Amino acid sequence: MEIPLLFRWVGLGLGALSLLAAYAAVRRFRAAEPGDTRRTDAAFNAVDCLLGAVLLAAFSFGRFGLGVWVLAVQGLIFGAQMIHDLRRRRAVAKPPVP
């Protein structure tokens, strides 16, 4: 399937914006203290932005097989992020009993 040239440039431009968001997430990751939940959230956000940029580049150049693999990895990242958020909410809802 042929992708029109305009859509390729739009996809690559959006991929570049996604890389800028990944850079900001990496800066938040490096600024947070080790063991902090903000550090984990920033790491998930950075990986998500990087994979989004790869996904947009893959679809822009017509590499749909690579795009499917990126979507599979991105699904794993989203699953891990949801599990992390659920565990954090449960830890806040039920404080440990002394």
Side-chain angles (χ1 to χ4, degrees), residues 71-93:
L71 283 173
V73 173
Q74 208 165 21
L76 293 173
I77 296 299
F78 284 150
Q81 191 173 8
M82 283 190 266
I83 289 171
H84 174 72
D85 288 343
L86 281 172
R87 292 182 79 190
R88 185 176 57 197
R89 284 184 198 164
R90 286 187 182 173
V92 170

Side-chain angles (χ1 to χ4, degrees), residues 2 16 35 42 47 52 56 62 72 79-80:
E2 183 65 29
V47 171
L56 285 168

Side-chain angles (χ1 to χ4, degrees), residues 21-41:
Y23 175 72
V26 168
R27 288 189 63 192
R28 283 194 312 270
F29 174 76
R30 294 184 68 194
E33 295 293 323
D36 192 6
T37 59
R38 288 180 295 168
R39 187 176 177 106
T40 309
D41 291 338

Side-chain angles (χ1 to χ4, degrees), residues 8-24 49-50 52-57 60:
R8 285 185 187 196
W9 282 107
V10 169
L12 291 175
L14 290 173
L17 289 176
S18 184
L19 286 176
L20 288 175
Y23 175 72
C49 290
L50 287 173
V54 172
L55 180 68
L56 285 168
S60 293

